[in-house]
Amino acid sequence: MVDELNIKGFRLFPGHLDRQAQEVMVADLRGVLAQAPLYRPVTPRGKAMSVRMSAAGQFGWVTDRRGYRYEPRHPDGMNWPPIPASIRSVWTALAGCARMPECCLINWYGEDARMGLHQDKDEADFTAPVLSISLGDDGLFRMGGVERGGKTASHWLRSGDVVVMGGEARLAHHGVDRIRFGSSSLLPNGGRINVTLRVVT
Ligand code: SIN
Ligand code: MN
């Protein structure tokens, strides 16, 4: 369990969103993705990521040959749509932060998608937490420390779970080893959506 790492500022809210709230959020996300479609990002080294991404808010996090950064527009040129109220309200309830998120990054995991251990460190203000919402299939979340190569622990995140990484956990390494494809009935075609809310500037 992630608890055993005892990283202050890591908070898990299991089942924070009930089924109806999850369905509303998925419908809102479909609206966002109709305007700003999922695309497959490429790492600065030129490797296609297995996760597909889009975003809402003033900024979207992007990666391509030019590096990791926040951009005010989708790679196809359109503005990112506003962050849906259903998602902003989770921040207001749980983040404990006076600032509102400026980026809602949307990650879509298909059957073989994963995300390697990394830190979220392209934001200017690390006093604001990162809040993550899981929807759809279970995902095996791995969490480590701030230093690279330290001890890690894993936890299956389920649909409706919310994680807040603030304080010491804000710069902790984290990633997703695999998903349990088809484990949830929320998304008719399977897969996992993870939404992360970030203050960028
Ligand atoms: C991320 O670190 O951006 C995603 C984490 C997750 O999918 O749970
Ligand atoms: Mn991350």
Side-chain angles (χ1 to χ4, degrees):
M1 266 297 283
V2 173
D3 287 353
E4 79 204 22
L5 294 174
N6 200 18
I7 301 176
K8 289 191 188 68
F10 177 89
R11 291 188 296 153
L12 171 64
F13 300 89
H16 178 76
L17 300 170
D18 65 17
R19 176 72 183 213
Q20 199 199 342
Q22 294 170 40
E23 283 171 3
V24 167
M25 206 174 275
V26 169
D28 288 345
L29 286 167
R30 285 190 200 286
V32 169
L33 297 176
Q35 294 175 60
L38 289 166
Y39 66 97
R40 182 170 290 239
V42 173
T43 67
R45 292 180 162 198
K47 193 171 179 283
M49 290 181 74
S50 56
V51 169
R52 293 203 284 150
M53 284 186 187
S54 188
Q58 287 149 264
F59 300 98
W61 183 87
V62 302
T63 170
D64 59 20
R65 283 288 197 175
R66 287 164 51 209
Y68 300 147
R69 63 194 182 279
Y70 282 94
E71 287 282 357
R73 273 182 272 283
H74 187 284
D76 291 348
M78 63 284 267
N79 288 327
W80 305 107
I83 303 175
S86 59
I87 295 177
R88 289 164 58 93
S89 66
V90 179
W91 177 273
T92 307
L94 301 181
C97 178
R99 297 188 64 188
M100 286 304 285
E102 298 164 309
C103 171
C104 168
L105 182 68
I106 304 163
N107 291 320
W108 187 82
Y109 296 75
E111 188 151 13
D112 298 315
R114 55 185 296 280
M115 188 174 291
L117 273 185
H118 65 277
Q119 294 169 291
D120 291 354
K121 56 178 184 186
D122 299 315
E123 303 76 28
D125 179 3
F126 297 137
T127 66
V130 169
L131 183 150
S132 132
I133 304 169
S134 293
L135 296 166
D137 291 340
D138 302 345
L140 187 58
F141 184 75
R142 183 195 290 270
M143 176 97 182
V146 176
E147 304 304 327
R148 241 179 112 98
K151 195 172 145 193
T152 65
S154 298
H155 178 80
W156 281 101
L157 288 177
R158 300 205 155 75
S159 198
D161 290 356
V162 178
V163 167
V164 177
M165 292 188 289
E168 256 175 59
R170 176 62 182 78
L171 287 171
H173 285 78
H174 58 279
V176 174
D177 288 345
R178 60 194 153 92
I179 72 159
R180 231 164 2 207
F181 193 76
S183 51
S184 161
S185 60
L186 185 69
L187 305 172
N189 298 323
R192 172 175 185 261
I193 297 173
N194 177 264
V195 160
T196 50
L197 296 175
R198 299 113 181 266
V199 172
V200 174
T201 59

PDB file of all heavy atoms in Angstrom, residues 92-125:
ATOM      1  N   THR A  92     -12.581  22.033  -5.651  1.00  0.00           N
ATOM      2  CA  THR A  92     -13.066  22.910  -4.574  1.00  0.00           C
ATOM      3  C   THR A  92     -13.308  22.115  -3.290  1.00  0.00           C
ATOM      4  O   THR A  92     -13.005  22.571  -2.197  1.00  0.00           O
ATOM      5  CB  THR A  92     -14.367  23.608  -5.026  1.00  0.00           C
ATOM      6  OG1 THR A  92     -14.121  24.233  -6.284  1.00  0.00           O
ATOM      7  CG2 THR A  92     -14.816  24.664  -4.033  1.00  0.00           C
ATOM      8  N   ALA A  93     -13.824  20.888  -3.442  1.00  0.00           N
ATOM      9  CA  ALA A  93     -14.143  20.078  -2.259  1.00  0.00           C
ATOM     10  C   ALA A  93     -12.906  19.498  -1.584  1.00  0.00           C
ATOM     11  O   ALA A  93     -12.878  19.359  -0.359  1.00  0.00           O
ATOM     12  CB  ALA A  93     -15.091  18.942  -2.666  1.00  0.00           C
ATOM     13  N   LEU A  94     -11.894  19.120  -2.364  1.00  0.00           N
ATOM     14  CA  LEU A  94     -10.818  18.293  -1.790  1.00  0.00           C
ATOM     15  C   LEU A  94      -9.416  18.890  -1.840  1.00  0.00           C
ATOM     16  O   LEU A  94      -8.535  18.434  -1.095  1.00  0.00           O
ATOM     17  CB  LEU A  94     -10.771  16.930  -2.507  1.00  0.00           C
ATOM     18  CG  LEU A  94     -12.031  16.073  -2.457  1.00  0.00           C
ATOM     19  CD1 LEU A  94     -11.790  14.766  -3.197  1.00  0.00           C
ATOM     20  CD2 LEU A  94     -12.467  15.805  -1.031  1.00  0.00           C
ATOM     21  N   ALA A  95      -9.160  19.858  -2.696  1.00  0.00           N
ATOM     22  CA  ALA A  95      -7.756  20.272  -2.897  1.00  0.00           C
ATOM     23  C   ALA A  95      -7.205  21.102  -1.750  1.00  0.00           C
ATOM     24  O   ALA A  95      -5.989  21.118  -1.529  1.00  0.00           O
ATOM     25  CB  ALA A  95      -7.610  21.031  -4.219  1.00  0.00           C
ATOM     26  N   GLY A  96      -8.071  21.810  -1.023  1.00  0.00           N
ATOM     27  CA  GLY A  96      -7.567  22.653   0.057  1.00  0.00           C
ATOM     28  C   GLY A  96      -6.649  23.738  -0.460  1.00  0.00           C
ATOM     29  O   GLY A  96      -5.619  24.042   0.155  1.00  0.00           O
ATOM     30  N   CYS A  97      -7.011  24.314  -1.585  1.00  0.00           N
ATOM     31  CA  CYS A  97      -6.135  25.291  -2.239  1.00  0.00           C
ATOM     32  C   CYS A  97      -7.006  26.455  -2.708  1.00  0.00           C
ATOM     33  O   CYS A  97      -8.048  26.241  -3.332  1.00  0.00           O
ATOM     34  CB  CYS A  97      -5.455  24.613  -3.435  1.00  0.00           C
ATOM     35  SG  CYS A  97      -4.383  25.684  -4.397  1.00  0.00           S
ATOM     36  N   ALA A  98      -6.579  27.666  -2.397  1.00  0.00           N
ATOM     37  CA  ALA A  98      -7.386  28.844  -2.762  1.00  0.00           C
ATOM     38  C   ALA A  98      -7.364  29.088  -4.268  1.00  0.00           C
ATOM     39  O   ALA A  98      -8.334  29.612  -4.828  1.00  0.00           O
ATOM     40  CB  ALA A  98      -6.865  30.076  -2.034  1.00  0.00           C
ATOM     41  N   ARG A  99      -6.276  28.699  -4.931  1.00  0.00           N
ATOM     42  CA  ARG A  99      -6.217  28.897  -6.382  1.00  0.00           C
ATOM     43  C   ARG A  99      -7.023  27.820  -7.098  1.00  0.00           C
ATOM     44  O   ARG A  99      -7.160  26.704  -6.601  1.00  0.00           O
ATOM     45  CB  ARG A  99      -4.759  28.853  -6.857  1.00  0.00           C
ATOM     46  CG  ARG A  99      -3.921  29.981  -6.264  1.00  0.00           C
ATOM     47  CD  ARG A  99      -2.551  30.039  -6.901  1.00  0.00           C
ATOM     48  NE  ARG A  99      -2.627  30.362  -8.329  1.00  0.00           N
ATOM     49  CZ  ARG A  99      -1.578  30.326  -9.158  1.00  0.00           C
ATOM     50  NH1 ARG A  99      -0.395  29.977  -8.703  1.00  0.00           N
ATOM     51  NH2 ARG A  99      -1.715  30.629 -10.436  1.00  0.00           N
ATOM     52  N   MET A 100      -7.562  28.181  -8.266  1.00  0.00           N
ATOM     53  CA  MET A 100      -8.302  27.197  -9.048  1.00  0.00           C
ATOM     54  C   MET A 100      -7.360  26.578 -10.101  1.00  0.00           C
ATOM     55  O   MET A 100      -6.383  27.195 -10.509  1.00  0.00           O
ATOM     56  CB  MET A 100      -9.503  27.861  -9.740  1.00  0.00           C
ATOM     57  CG  MET A 100     -10.657  28.182  -8.787  1.00  0.00           C
ATOM     58  SD  MET A 100     -11.251  26.736  -7.861  1.00  0.00           S
ATOM     59  CE  MET A 100     -12.179  25.848  -9.132  1.00  0.00           C
ATOM     60  N   PRO A 101      -7.659  25.345 -10.531  1.00  0.00           N
ATOM     61  CA  PRO A 101      -6.787  24.705 -11.518  1.00  0.00           C
ATOM     62  C   PRO A 101      -6.837  25.426 -12.862  1.00  0.00           C
ATOM     63  O   PRO A 101      -7.890  25.916 -13.277  1.00  0.00           O
ATOM     64  CB  PRO A 101      -7.356  23.293 -11.632  1.00  0.00           C
ATOM     65  CG  PRO A 101      -8.757  23.391 -11.156  1.00  0.00           C
ATOM     66  CD  PRO A 101      -8.791  24.492 -10.142  1.00  0.00           C
ATOM     67  N   GLU A 102      -5.690  25.462 -13.516  1.00  0.00           N
ATOM     68  CA  GLU A 102      -5.595  26.091 -14.847  1.00  0.00           C
ATOM     69  C   GLU A 102      -5.461  25.044 -15.948  1.00  0.00           C
ATOM     70  O   GLU A 102      -5.534  25.370 -17.131  1.00  0.00           O
ATOM     71  CB  GLU A 102      -4.381  27.012 -14.886  1.00  0.00           C
ATOM     72  CG  GLU A 102      -4.491  28.145 -13.880  1.00  0.00           C
ATOM     73  CD  GLU A 102      -3.179  28.839 -13.629  1.00  0.00           C
ATOM     74  OE1 GLU A 102      -2.175  28.153 -13.349  1.00  0.00           O
ATOM     75  OE2 GLU A 102      -3.153  30.081 -13.718  1.00  0.00           O
ATOM     76  N   CYS A 103      -5.225  23.811 -15.536  1.00  0.00           N
ATOM     77  CA  CYS A 103      -5.122  22.713 -16.504  1.00  0.00           C
ATOM     78  C   CYS A 103      -5.847  21.499 -15.975  1.00  0.00           C
ATOM     79  O   CYS A 103      -5.701  21.129 -14.815  1.00  0.00           O
ATOM     80  CB  CYS A 103      -3.665  22.344 -16.763  1.00  0.00           C
ATOM     81  SG  CYS A 103      -3.464  20.826 -17.749  1.00  0.00           S
ATOM     82  N   CYS A 104      -6.641  20.901 -16.833  1.00  0.00           N
ATOM     83  CA  CYS A 104      -7.264  19.608 -16.562  1.00  0.00           C
ATOM     84  C   CYS A 104      -6.731  18.683 -17.645  1.00  0.00           C
ATOM     85  O   CYS A 104      -7.191  18.715 -18.787  1.00  0.00           O
ATOM     86  CB  CYS A 104      -8.783  19.756 -16.648  1.00  0.00           C
ATOM     87  SG  CYS A 104      -9.671  18.200 -16.683  1.00  0.00           S
ATOM     88  N   LEU A 105      -5.706  17.925 -17.297  1.00  0.00           N
ATOM     89  CA  LEU A 105      -5.105  17.008 -18.271  1.00  0.00           C
ATOM     90  C   LEU A 105      -5.941  15.733 -18.318  1.00  0.00           C
ATOM     91  O   LEU A 105      -6.307  15.185 -17.278  1.00  0.00           O
ATOM     92  CB  LEU A 105      -3.663  16.681 -17.858  1.00  0.00           C
ATOM     93  CG  LEU A 105      -2.895  15.772 -18.813  1.00  0.00           C
ATOM     94  CD1 LEU A 105      -2.619  16.485 -20.138  1.00  0.00           C
ATOM     95  CD2 LEU A 105      -1.586  15.316 -18.178  1.00  0.00           C
ATOM     96  N   ILE A 106      -6.252  15.279 -19.520  1.00  0.00           N
ATOM     97  CA  ILE A 106      -7.068  14.076 -19.706  1.00  0.00           C
ATOM     98  C   ILE A 106      -6.190  12.989 -20.320  1.00  0.00           C
ATOM     99  O   ILE A 106      -5.673  13.162 -21.424  1.00  0.00           O
ATOM    100  CB  ILE A 106      -8.268  14.377 -20.634  1.00  0.00           C
ATOM    101  CG1 ILE A 106      -9.094  15.548 -20.086  1.00  0.00           C
ATOM    102  CG2 ILE A 106      -9.136  13.122 -20.816  1.00  0.00           C
ATOM    103  CD1 ILE A 106     -10.033  16.171 -21.120  1.00  0.00           C
ATOM    104  N   ASN A 107      -6.015  11.895 -19.570  1.00  0.00           N
ATOM    105  CA  ASN A 107      -5.239  10.752 -20.076  1.00  0.00           C
ATOM    106  C   ASN A 107      -6.198   9.606 -20.329  1.00  0.00           C
ATOM    107  O   ASN A 107      -6.970   9.242 -19.435  1.00  0.00           O
ATOM    108  CB  ASN A 107      -4.221  10.275 -19.027  1.00  0.00           C
ATOM    109  CG  ASN A 107      -3.096  11.262 -18.800  1.00  0.00           C
ATOM    110  OD1 ASN A 107      -2.599  11.863 -19.738  1.00  0.00           O
ATOM    111  ND2 ASN A 107      -2.715  11.440 -17.547  1.00  0.00           N
ATOM    112  N   TRP A 108      -6.126   9.015 -21.506  1.00  0.00           N
ATOM    113  CA  TRP A 108      -6.952   7.847 -21.813  1.00  0.00           C
ATOM    114  C   TRP A 108      -6.045   6.633 -21.990  1.00  0.00           C
ATOM    115  O   TRP A 108      -5.125   6.652 -22.811  1.00  0.00           O
ATOM    116  CB  TRP A 108      -7.798   8.078 -23.060  1.00  0.00           C
ATOM    117  CG  TRP A 108      -8.763   6.948 -23.285  1.00  0.00           C
ATOM    118  CD1 TRP A 108      -9.972   6.773 -22.682  1.00  0.00           C
ATOM    119  CD2 TRP A 108      -8.568   5.813 -24.135  1.00  0.00           C
ATOM    120  NE1 TRP A 108     -10.545   5.606 -23.103  1.00  0.00           N
ATOM    121  CE2 TRP A 108      -9.717   4.990 -23.989  1.00  0.00           C
ATOM    122  CE3 TRP A 108      -7.551   5.402 -24.992  1.00  0.00           C
ATOM    123  CZ2 TRP A 108      -9.866   3.791 -24.688  1.00  0.00           C
ATOM    124  CZ3 TRP A 108      -7.697   4.213 -25.679  1.00  0.00           C
ATOM    125  CH2 TRP A 108      -8.845   3.416 -25.535  1.00  0.00           C
ATOM    126  N   TYR A 109      -6.321   5.598 -21.174  1.00  0.00           N
ATOM    127  CA  TYR A 109      -5.530   4.367 -21.202  1.00  0.00           C
ATOM    128  C   TYR A 109      -6.336   3.262 -21.863  1.00  0.00           C
ATOM    129  O   TYR A 109      -7.378   2.858 -21.355  1.00  0.00           O
ATOM    130  CB  TYR A 109      -5.203   3.889 -19.784  1.00  0.00           C
ATOM    131  CG  TYR A 109      -4.334   4.802 -18.943  1.00  0.00           C
ATOM    132  CD1 TYR A 109      -4.846   5.975 -18.384  1.00  0.00           C
ATOM    133  CD2 TYR A 109      -3.013   4.473 -18.686  1.00  0.00           C
ATOM    134  CE1 TYR A 109      -4.048   6.797 -17.605  1.00  0.00           C
ATOM    135  CE2 TYR A 109      -2.209   5.290 -17.894  1.00  0.00           C
ATOM    136  CZ  TYR A 109      -2.737   6.443 -17.364  1.00  0.00           C
ATOM    137  OH  TYR A 109      -1.958   7.256 -16.578  1.00  0.00           O
ATOM    138  N   GLY A 110      -5.855   2.772 -22.990  1.00  0.00           N
ATOM    139  CA  GLY A 110      -6.433   1.578 -23.603  1.00  0.00           C
ATOM    140  C   GLY A 110      -5.817   0.339 -22.968  1.00  0.00           C
ATOM    141  O   GLY A 110      -5.078   0.431 -21.976  1.00  0.00           O
ATOM    142  N   GLU A 111      -6.089  -0.806 -23.564  1.00  0.00           N
ATOM    143  CA  GLU A 111      -5.708  -2.093 -22.955  1.00  0.00           C
ATOM    144  C   GLU A 111      -4.240  -2.185 -22.554  1.00  0.00           C
ATOM    145  O   GLU A 111      -3.916  -2.688 -21.490  1.00  0.00           O
ATOM    146  CB  GLU A 111      -6.066  -3.220 -23.941  1.00  0.00           C
ATOM    147  CG  GLU A 111      -5.890  -4.580 -23.342  1.00  0.00           C
ATOM    148  CD  GLU A 111      -6.825  -5.614 -23.940  1.00  0.00           C
ATOM    149  OE1 GLU A 111      -7.449  -5.351 -24.988  1.00  0.00           O
ATOM    150  OE2 GLU A 111      -6.924  -6.699 -23.333  1.00  0.00           O
ATOM    151  N   ASP A 112      -3.339  -1.739 -23.397  1.00  0.00           N
ATOM    152  CA  ASP A 112      -1.907  -1.926 -23.117  1.00  0.00           C
ATOM    153  C   ASP A 112      -1.207  -0.649 -22.695  1.00  0.00           C
ATOM    154  O   ASP A 112       0.031  -0.590 -22.709  1.00  0.00           O
ATOM    155  CB  ASP A 112      -1.210  -2.507 -24.365  1.00  0.00           C
ATOM    156  CG  ASP A 112      -1.791  -3.872 -24.719  1.00  0.00           C
ATOM    157  OD1 ASP A 112      -1.968  -4.683 -23.787  1.00  0.00           O
ATOM    158  OD2 ASP A 112      -2.082  -4.103 -25.907  1.00  0.00           O
ATOM    159  N   ALA A 113      -1.978   0.346 -22.332  1.00  0.00           N
ATOM    160  CA  ALA A 113      -1.340   1.627 -21.999  1.00  0.00           C
ATOM    161  C   ALA A 113      -0.787   1.618 -20.579  1.00  0.00           C
ATOM    162  O   ALA A 113      -1.290   0.925 -19.688  1.00  0.00           O
ATOM    163  CB  ALA A 113      -2.340   2.759 -22.163  1.00  0.00           C
ATOM    164  N   ARG A 114       0.257   2.372 -20.384  1.00  0.00           N
ATOM    165  CA  ARG A 114       0.873   2.533 -19.073  1.00  0.00           C
ATOM    166  C   ARG A 114       1.524   3.912 -19.034  1.00  0.00           C
ATOM    167  O   ARG A 114       1.623   4.588 -20.059  1.00  0.00           O
ATOM    168  CB  ARG A 114       1.901   1.428 -18.820  1.00  0.00           C
ATOM    169  CG  ARG A 114       2.964   1.338 -19.914  1.00  0.00           C
ATOM    170  CD  ARG A 114       3.890   0.164 -19.695  1.00  0.00           C
ATOM    171  NE  ARG A 114       4.645   0.309 -18.463  1.00  0.00           N
ATOM    172  CZ  ARG A 114       5.728   1.067 -18.310  1.00  0.00           C
ATOM    173  NH1 ARG A 114       6.197   1.756 -19.342  1.00  0.00           N
ATOM    174  NH2 ARG A 114       6.352   1.142 -17.162  1.00  0.00           N
ATOM    175  N   MET A 115       1.978   4.280 -17.843  1.00  0.00           N
ATOM    176  CA  MET A 115       2.725   5.536 -17.757  1.00  0.00           C
ATOM    177  C   MET A 115       3.892   5.331 -16.811  1.00  0.00           C
ATOM    178  O   MET A 115       3.711   4.938 -15.656  1.00  0.00           O
ATOM    179  CB  MET A 115       1.817   6.660 -17.257  1.00  0.00           C
ATOM    180  CG  MET A 115       2.528   7.994 -17.343  1.00  0.00           C
ATOM    181  SD  MET A 115       1.486   9.374 -16.951  1.00  0.00           S
ATOM    182  CE  MET A 115       0.396   9.381 -18.337  1.00  0.00           C
ATOM    183  N   GLY A 116       5.089   5.549 -17.301  1.00  0.00           N
ATOM    184  CA  GLY A 116       6.294   5.327 -16.502  1.00  0.00           C
ATOM    185  C   GLY A 116       6.370   6.276 -15.311  1.00  0.00           C
ATOM    186  O   GLY A 116       5.709   7.321 -15.273  1.00  0.00           O
ATOM    187  N   LEU A 117       7.195   5.906 -14.336  1.00  0.00           N
ATOM    188  CA  LEU A 117       7.377   6.746 -13.140  1.00  0.00           C
ATOM    189  C   LEU A 117       7.929   8.111 -13.541  1.00  0.00           C
ATOM    190  O   LEU A 117       8.886   8.192 -14.306  1.00  0.00           O
ATOM    191  CB  LEU A 117       8.381   6.082 -12.193  1.00  0.00           C
ATOM    192  CG  LEU A 117       7.905   5.068 -11.166  1.00  0.00           C
ATOM    193  CD1 LEU A 117       9.083   4.660 -10.296  1.00  0.00           C
ATOM    194  CD2 LEU A 117       6.771   5.588 -10.314  1.00  0.00           C
ATOM    195  N   HIS A 118       7.315   9.142 -13.030  1.00  0.00           N
ATOM    196  CA  HIS A 118       7.740  10.503 -13.367  1.00  0.00           C
ATOM    197  C   HIS A 118       7.327  11.443 -12.241  1.00  0.00           C
ATOM    198  O   HIS A 118       6.557  11.063 -11.357  1.00  0.00           O
ATOM    199  CB  HIS A 118       7.066  10.951 -14.683  1.00  0.00           C
ATOM    200  CG  HIS A 118       5.580  11.073 -14.551  1.00  0.00           C
ATOM    201  ND1 HIS A 118       4.728   9.989 -14.657  1.00  0.00           N
ATOM    202  CD2 HIS A 118       4.781  12.131 -14.257  1.00  0.00           C
ATOM    203  CE1 HIS A 118       3.487  10.384 -14.452  1.00  0.00           C
ATOM    204  NE2 HIS A 118       3.484  11.684 -14.200  1.00  0.00           N
ATOM    205  N   GLN A 119       7.818  12.663 -12.287  1.00  0.00           N
ATOM    206  CA  GLN A 119       7.352  13.724 -11.387  1.00  0.00           C
ATOM    207  C   GLN A 119       6.573  14.727 -12.220  1.00  0.00           C
ATOM    208  O   GLN A 119       6.889  14.944 -13.382  1.00  0.00           O
ATOM    209  CB  GLN A 119       8.543  14.465 -10.778  1.00  0.00           C
ATOM    210  CG  GLN A 119       9.408  13.638  -9.850  1.00  0.00           C
ATOM    211  CD  GLN A 119      10.687  14.383  -9.528  1.00  0.00           C
ATOM    212  OE1 GLN A 119      11.545  14.558 -10.394  1.00  0.00           O
ATOM    213  NE2 GLN A 119      10.819  14.834  -8.299  1.00  0.00           N
ATOM    214  N   ASP A 120       5.569  15.374 -11.595  1.00  0.00           N
ATOM    215  CA  ASP A 120       4.885  16.486 -12.262  1.00  0.00           C
ATOM    216  C   ASP A 120       5.640  17.744 -11.846  1.00  0.00           C
ATOM    217  O   ASP A 120       5.476  18.215 -10.712  1.00  0.00           O
ATOM    218  CB  ASP A 120       3.424  16.585 -11.797  1.00  0.00           C
ATOM    219  CG  ASP A 120       2.577  15.415 -12.289  1.00  0.00           C
ATOM    220  OD1 ASP A 120       3.072  14.598 -13.079  1.00  0.00           O
ATOM    221  OD2 ASP A 120       1.411  15.330 -11.865  1.00  0.00           O
ATOM    222  N   LYS A 121       6.462  18.273 -12.730  1.00  0.00           N
ATOM    223  CA  LYS A 121       7.300  19.408 -12.299  1.00  0.00           C
ATOM    224  C   LYS A 121       7.415  20.494 -13.362  1.00  0.00           C
ATOM    225  O   LYS A 121       8.374  21.262 -13.357  1.00  0.00           O
ATOM    226  CB  LYS A 121       8.670  18.917 -11.848  1.00  0.00           C
ATOM    227  CG  LYS A 121       9.412  18.122 -12.875  1.00  0.00           C
ATOM    228  CD  LYS A 121      10.785  17.710 -12.351  1.00  0.00           C
ATOM    229  CE  LYS A 121      11.537  17.004 -13.447  1.00  0.00           C
ATOM    230  NZ  LYS A 121      12.800  16.440 -13.007  1.00  0.00           N
ATOM    231  N   ASP A 122       6.452  20.560 -14.260  1.00  0.00           N
ATOM    232  CA  ASP A 122       6.469  21.617 -15.268  1.00  0.00           C
ATOM    233  C   ASP A 122       5.607  22.811 -14.847  1.00  0.00           C
ATOM    234  O   ASP A 122       5.369  23.715 -15.651  1.00  0.00           O
ATOM    235  CB  ASP A 122       5.986  21.062 -16.622  1.00  0.00           C
ATOM    236  CG  ASP A 122       6.900  19.936 -17.100  1.00  0.00           C
ATOM    237  OD1 ASP A 122       8.129  20.119 -17.017  1.00  0.00           O
ATOM    238  OD2 ASP A 122       6.398  18.885 -17.521  1.00  0.00           O
ATOM    239  N   GLU A 123       5.141  22.799 -13.594  1.00  0.00           N
ATOM    240  CA  GLU A 123       4.297  23.888 -13.088  1.00  0.00           C
ATOM    241  C   GLU A 123       5.188  24.864 -12.305  1.00  0.00           C
ATOM    242  O   GLU A 123       6.249  24.480 -11.807  1.00  0.00           O
ATOM    243  CB  GLU A 123       3.195  23.315 -12.170  1.00  0.00           C
ATOM    244  CG  GLU A 123       2.311  22.265 -12.833  1.00  0.00           C
ATOM    245  CD  GLU A 123       2.985  20.899 -12.984  1.00  0.00           C
ATOM    246  OE1 GLU A 123       3.860  20.580 -12.166  1.00  0.00           O
ATOM    247  OE2 GLU A 123       2.641  20.171 -13.945  1.00  0.00           O
ATOM    248  N   ALA A 124       4.702  26.102 -12.167  1.00  0.00           N
ATOM    249  CA  ALA A 124       5.533  27.133 -11.513  1.00  0.00           C
ATOM    250  C   ALA A 124       5.391  27.107  -9.986  1.00  0.00           C
ATOM    251  O   ALA A 124       6.301  27.515  -9.274  1.00  0.00           O
ATOM    252  CB  ALA A 124       5.151  28.505 -12.042  1.00  0.00           C
ATOM    253  N   ASP A 125       4.246  26.636  -9.490  1.00  0.00           N
ATOM    254  CA  ASP A 125       3.935  26.778  -8.064  1.00  0.00           C
ATOM    255  C   ASP A 125       3.700  25.401  -7.434  1.00  0.00           C
ATOM    256  O   ASP A 125       2.612  24.846  -7.535  1.00  0.00           O
ATOM    257  CB  ASP A 125       2.669  27.658  -7.939  1.00  0.00           C
ATOM    258  CG  ASP A 125       2.230  27.862  -6.501  1.00  0.00           C
ATOM    259  OD1 ASP A 125       2.916  27.380  -5.583  1.00  0.00           O
ATOM    260  OD2 ASP A 125       1.180  28.508  -6.304  1.00  0.00           O
TER     261      ASP A 125
END
